[in-house]
Amino acid sequence: APRLVSLIDQVKGQSNEVQLTIARSESQLSQLAIAELERQAEQLERAMGQSQLAIAQLHDRALEEAGHE
């Protein structure tokens, strides 16, 4: 019986370590996901700015062409 109690205590201790490791991993994964989403958001903002500039340039070009007719 003492051996069984010792084994149970070991399993409980290991279970606590596993839970702590899982919690740390979840936190790290969340931080990585947030960083990636922020990076993608910045890329989208740059792309939107570039597309708005391209639209403005097309608009200007169309006005210039219309003025030369």
Side-chain angles (χ1 to χ4, degrees), residues 14-32:
Q14 290 172 348
S15 176
N16 289 338
E17 289 177 33
V18 168
Q19 292 300 321
L20 185 58
T21 301
I22 289 171
R24 284 189 198 129
S25 296
E26 288 174 346
S27 176
Q28 290 172 343
L29 184 58
S30 293
Q31 290 171 358
L32 287 173

Side-chain angles (χ1 to χ4, degrees), residues 37-53:
L37 289 171
E38 288 173 343
R39 186 188 67 78
Q40 289 179 10
E42 289 172 5
Q43 277 185 323
L44 287 172
E45 285 180 27
R46 279 194 300 275
M48 285 177 53
Q50 291 171 349
S51 65
Q52 288 172 343
L53 177 60

Side-chain angles (χ1 to χ4, degrees), residues 4 12 15 20 24 30 32 49 55-56 58 60 64:
L4 184 57
K12 285 180 182 177
S15 176
L20 185 58
R24 284 189 198 129
S30 293
L32 287 173
I55 290 169
L58 289 171
D60 288 347
E64 288 176 10

